[in-house]
Amino acid sequence: MPTSRTGRPPVQRAGRRPAAARVSRDNPVRRLFIRARKAWDRPLTAYYLILGGSLLITVLGLVMVYSASQITALQLSLPGSYFFRKQFLAALIGGVLMLVASRMPVKLHRALAYPILAGAVFLMALVQVPGIGVAVNGNQNWISLGGSFQIQPSEFGKLALVLWGADLLARKQDKRLLTQWKHMLVPLVPVAFMLLGLIMLGGDMGTAIILTAILFGLLWLAGAPTRLFVGVLSVALAIGFLLIKTSPNRMSRLACIGATEPGPNDTCWQAVHGIYALASGGLFGSGLGASVEKWGQLPEAHTDFIFAITGEELGLAGTLSVLALFAALGYAGIRVAGRTEDPFVRYAAGGVTTWITAQAVINIGAVLGLLPIAGVPLPLFSYGGSALLPTMFAIGLLIAFARDDPAARAALAMRHPRFGRRRGAVRESARAAGPRRWNTMRRRASAARSSGER
């Protein structure tokens, strides 16, 4: 063994750590990423994303409705705040519905499925009665409530299909019937086609597309085989192609995809001026209330094309903020559906998420010129009380489901103990509940705990 000059053995020095390891540990970007990932995985993340995201979209929508609707109201010899006041009243009522839905137990949600479906079917049939139904922009899908108030029953048909379909599939899963294709399709698909037929009698192709997306979402969550899924999709596409081919108006909308000129007879006027509004917004927009296109150039500026006015007045920053809020809302809905063991919660949360996400994609895609104009509003954002009320109730469903998660309940109880309950006891109950298991959104095996029947 070699020795030093003093006769003592040499000191064994520890090897130096690689520079890359020190950099990775001390890298502030990596530490920020780790903290963000931990915050993302907390039990209440989905709850706060749904609550905060939906409220921010609604508030920003109220601001943009006020800005985009002033000129239209003045052209109709109405006060400038006319449409804003109606939308604000609908938002207040919708807020109450959201609060009520968020506090209702799951059993009560399931009990409401059949009454809501029956009421929606009755109102949608009532629309076709002469003297009761009202036509708006060529589509007879409205019922007048007196004065300037109208209701669109097909918007409540979306909520009815989500609740009833979720309850139906959950009961069949409890009885282990979803392994048979006839139980997966009947009566879900016939009832959905009945709703689609009532909607198409009034000519509302956009709402029919949203209902079809909800139906496919429920079938996918139920674990439909690929051949069955493709079969139903093929039938829906064939019917949709036939309806589009036999309607000159729908064919003209299809021809306006990607249009940069209004075309002959100004058939693509709305689509082109929506692109003009987005293009003139720049990075930060022309300023709130400074839109030029809303001065009669862009039809439906406060309803179907409110996203274009948002891009013109708030710029790319404003539109990206709206997209980020919808993306966060969609992620939170998927997370709620993926973590639950209750079949009804999984189907209902997945159906609501499909509904809001598909409608947002169709609306924004039409404004961007990537999809045909379907005439559907941007959820929680566009003007329209008939669309806002059922959507806010559906958001309340997601909030209730997010709160019902065992880990979220324990976290809320620790944050707000009731009647002097000790946090230690709450922590012990949360620990006794066991570790949180990650689940997929597809149908679980029979080992999952039962959701109970109505």
Side-chain angles (χ1 to χ4, degrees), residues 152 155 158 207 303-304 359-360 363 375-380 382-384 387:
Q152 188 177 4
E155 292 291 339
K158 303 172 186 176
T207 305
T303 54
D304 300 344
Q359 187 164 325
N363 178 275
V376 296
L378 190 59
L380 302 172
S382 297
Y383 170 79

Side-chain angles (χ1 to χ4, degrees), residues 98-113 163 167 342 344-345 348 393 396-404 409 451 454:
M98 184 177 70
L99 179 62
V100 171
S102 65
R103 295 293 179 177
M104 289 168 53
V106 174
K107 290 183 179 180
L108 186 54
H109 286 304
R110 299 187 68 169
L112 289 175
L163 284 177
D167 178 69
D342 191 328
F344 172 78
V345 173
F393 187 89
L397 285 177
L398 290 180
I399 294 175
F401 299 155
R403 289 171 58 94
D404 195 57
R409 283 203 310 265
S451 61
R454 283 200 315 108

Side-chain angles (χ1 to χ4, degrees), residues 317-331:
T319 54
L320 289 180
S321 299
V322 175
L323 290 175
L325 289 173
F326 275 109
L329 193 59
Y331 166 79

Side-chain angles (χ1 to χ4, degrees), residues 212 216 219 226-239:
T212 305
F216 287 143
L219 290 176
T226 304
R227 60 183 183 276
L228 184 64
F229 201 83
V230 172
V232 178
L233 182 60
S234 301
V235 173
L237 289 177
I239 295 175

Side-chain angles (χ1 to χ4, degrees), residues 13 18 40 68 97 133 219 408 428:
R13 296 182 179 179
W40 202 253
L97 291 177
L219 290 176
E428 289 296 332

Side-chain angles (χ1 to χ4, degrees), residues 128-442:
Q128 306 305 323
V129 177
I132 298 179
V134 177
V136 177
N137 294 331
N139 295 336
Q140 187 166 343
N141 283 295
W142 300 80
I143 295 177
S144 177
L145 300 180
S148 61
F149 292 94
Q150 296 176 339
I151 186 174
Q152 188 177 4
S154 58
E155 292 291 339
F156 295 88
K158 303 172 186 176
L159 178 64
L161 181 60
V162 168
L163 284 177
W164 177 80
D167 178 69
L168 175 70
L169 293 175
R171 287 188 289 111
K172 289 196 173 187
Q173 180 172 331
D174 290 339
K175 297 178 180 179
R176 296 176 176 85
L177 297 175
L178 291 182
T179 55
Q180 306 175 35
W181 67 269
K182 60 180 181 180
H183 284 289
M184 186 172 292
L185 294 181
V186 181
L188 177 62
V189 174
V191 171
F193 274 41
M194 178 189 65
L195 295 175
L196 290 171
L198 290 173
I199 292 173
M200 289 309 300
L201 283 176
D204 191 355
M205 186 76 176
T207 305
I209 294 175
I210 305 300
L211 239 70
T212 305
I214 295 174
L215 173 62
F216 287 143
L218 291 174
L219 290 176
W220 184 84
L221 291 170
T226 304
R227 60 183 183 276
L228 184 64
F229 201 83
V230 172
V232 178
L233 182 60
S234 301
V235 173
L237 289 177
I239 295 175
F241 176 78
L242 181 63
L243 292 174
I244 293 174
K245 193 69 175 178
T246 55
S247 173
N249 182 35
R250 297 188 186 113
M251 286 297 296
S252 64
R253 292 187 180 187
L254 195 64
C256 290
I257 297 178
T260 56
E261 296 293 337
N265 300 323
D266 293 332
T267 53
C268 299
W269 179 274
Q270 188 179 28
V272 170
H273 278 271
I275 297 296
Y276 290 168
L278 289 171
S280 61
L283 188 59
F284 297 105
S286 58
L288 195 61
S291 169
V292 175
E293 291 293 334
K294 68 183 180 183
W295 286 78
Q297 299 297 321
L298 181 62
E300 309 296 337
H302 60 298
T303 54
D304 300 344
F305 272 71
I306 194 171
F307 188 76
I309 302 300
T310 304
E312 185 179 5
E313 295 188 350
L314 302 183
L316 181 64
T319 54
L320 289 180
S321 299
V322 175
L323 290 175
L325 289 173
F326 275 109
L329 193 59
Y331 166 79
I334 293 173
R335 177 167 169 163
V336 170
R339 286 192 167 190
T340 183
E341 294 284 357
D342 191 328
F344 172 78
V345 173
R346 180 168 62 257
Y347 296 134
V352 171
T353 306
T354 303
W355 162 14
I356 295 176
T357 305
Q359 187 164 325
V361 168
I362 291 173
N363 178 275
I364 296 174
V367 174
L368 295 176
L370 303 176
L371 295 174
I373 300 174
V376 296
L378 190 59
L380 302 172
F381 201 83
S382 297
Y383 170 79
S386 294
L388 185 62
L389 296 182
T391 306
M392 294 195 76
F393 187 89
I395 293 295
L397 285 177
L398 290 180
I399 294 175
F401 299 155
R403 289 171 58 94
D404 195 57
D405 182 81
R409 283 203 310 265
L412 288 172
M414 290 177 63
R415 187 162 297 182
H416 303 290
R418 297 183 179 181
F419 305 109
R421 187 179 180 185
R422 293 181 304 170
R423 295 196 175 191
V426 176
R427 193 176 293 111
E428 289 296 332
S429 63
R431 189 179 296 112
R436 160 56 46 197
R437 293 189 302 166
W438 286 82
N439 301 302
T440 60
M441 290 181 64
R442 300 284 277 183

